[in-house]
Amino acid sequence: ITRQYEALVCGHLEKDEGEIELPLMRDYEFPPYMRVSTEEHQRALIGLSAGDVGKKILESPKESLTRYVVEGREEVEGKEVTRVTLTSVSGRTHQLNVHC
């Protein structure tokens, strides 16, 4: 079974299809949400203990892959949007929300 989701994203995407491959981590500022993991975010966790921020926050970033296909380019209230079909390949928590 492959689950697909439809979304509107801000702006017009240039490519008609593609992949978003960005690692995810727990958002230490707004738990329990997730965010794209960057070097800056990882550096912010250096020296913190599980007692400071919680065990899940200190977990290593998780690889994640989303595939998208553009279904249409539109305008909503005068702003450009792109309608896409999303397929979560890796199935991480909140992956589609974070990638889009």
Side-chain angles (χ1 to χ4, degrees):
I1 295 175
T2 300
R3 293 184 181 175
Q4 294 183 316
Y5 302 85
E6 189 173 282
L8 287 177
V9 296
C10 295
H12 283 169
L13 299 180
E14 291 180 23
K15 295 181 179 180
D16 288 336
E17 61 183 53
E19 294 182 343
I20 303 165
E21 190 169 7
L22 296 169
L24 302 182
M25 65 182 284
R26 297 252 175 216
D27 190 328
Y28 52 86
E29 294 178 317
F30 302 102
Y33 299 107
M34 303 295 280
R35 73 181 332 156
V36 171
S37 178
T38 64
E39 284 186 37
E40 179 182 338
H41 294 138
Q42 290 300 305
R43 279 196 299 270
L45 298 176
I46 293 174
L48 297 177
S49 70
D52 295 329
V53 293
K55 181 179 166 185
K56 288 193 177 249
I57 298 289
L58 297 178
E59 290 177 353
S60 296
K62 307 274 195 258
E63 296 302 317
S64 62
L65 176 64
T66 300
R67 290 196 178 110
Y68 70 88
V69 175
V70 171
E71 301 298 335
R73 293 172 179 85
E74 309 165 20
E75 282 194 18
V76 174
E77 297 179 1
K79 299 188 191 248
E80 294 180 342
V81 297
T82 303
R83 185 175 303 275
V84 293
T85 297
L86 303 169
T87 305
S88 172
V89 177
S90 46
R92 302 283 180 213
T93 303
H94 304 295
Q95 173 180 327
L96 299 178
N97 294 335
V98 175
H99 279 175
C100 290

